[in-house]
């Protein structure tokens, strides 16, 4: 069997602030999805689940601590469609007060922009057809 990525878990400080960000990004996460729990799971069309929680690593991994500093070792890529959608999503997020790390740019590969979610997780917005669920 081929190994498959099935879930990405984000440990966040403020669940509602994170849900607002990911809704603004374009994920269809219903209001009240947490139902009073410290976790929301959102399954995307690609089959990958984005799990947003305030208490997974902090509860089950006694050595876990929240990262500090401005660096990062991972990036979540979201395929948003055409270049114009990259432009508009980036502008909307930055205008809403989220940190923009890289404005929309034609990289050596895809047209892309980088923004941070409320916890400093780095989000790559791209029009890279290779990242499309239909690819």
């Amino acid at each position: 069997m081929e190994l498959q990525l099935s879930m990405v878990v984000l440990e966040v400080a403020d669940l509602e602030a994170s849900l607002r960000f990911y809704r603004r990004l374009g994920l269809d996460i219903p209001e009240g999805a947490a139902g009073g729990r410290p976790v929301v799971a959102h399954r995307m069309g690609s089959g990958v689940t984005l799990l947003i929680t305030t208490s997974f690593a902090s509860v089950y991994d006694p050595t876990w601590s929240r990262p500090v500093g401005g660096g990062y070792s991972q990036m979540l890529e979201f395929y948003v469609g055409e270049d114009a959608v990259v432009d508009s999503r980036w502008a909307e997020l930055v205008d809403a007060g989220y940190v923009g790390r890289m404005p929309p740019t034609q990289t050596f590969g895809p047209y892309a922009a980088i923004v941070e979610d409320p916890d400093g997780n780095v989000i790559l917005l791209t029009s890279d057809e290779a990242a499309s669920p239909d690819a």
Side-chain angles (χ1 to χ4, degrees):
M1 181 179 139
E2 181 184 354
L3 186 64
Q4 296 292 318
L5 177 65
S6 65
M7 183 181 297
V8 174
V9 179
L10 294 180
E11 184 88 15
V12 302
D14 182 330
L15 185 60
E16 288 306 316
S18 293
L19 293 176
R20 280 191 301 276
F21 172 85
Y22 287 99
R23 285 182 189 115
R24 187 177 294 270
L25 177 63
L27 295 182
D28 186 22
I29 302 172
E31 293 292 331
R37 297 172 301 137
V39 61
V40 168
H42 176 75
R43 189 163 176 95
M44 293 179 269
S46 65
V48 174
T49 297
L50 177 63
L51 187 107
I52 305 169
T53 181
T54 58
S55 62
F56 186 84
S58 58
V59 169
Y60 297 106
D61 181 354
T63 66
W64 182 82
S65 63
R66 192 165 301 284
V68 295
Y72 57 92
S73 58
Q74 74 282 335
M75 182 181 297
L76 300 180
E77 179 179 354
F78 285 89
Y79 170 75
V80 296
E82 301 172 358
D83 295 355
V85 179
V86 172
D87 293 338
S88 65
R89 287 280 165 84
W90 187 85
E92 179 183 346
L93 292 166
V94 171
D95 289 348
Y98 298 103
V99 175
R101 284 184 168 258
M102 180 184 85
T105 303
Q106 180 59 58
T107 69
F108 290 119
Y111 187 74
I114 300 174
V115 66
E116 290 182 10
D117 77 1
D119 290 277
N121 295 305
V122 178
I123 308 301
L124 178 67
L125 307 172
T126 180
S127 62
D128 184 3
E129 286 291 326
S132 166
D134 300 327

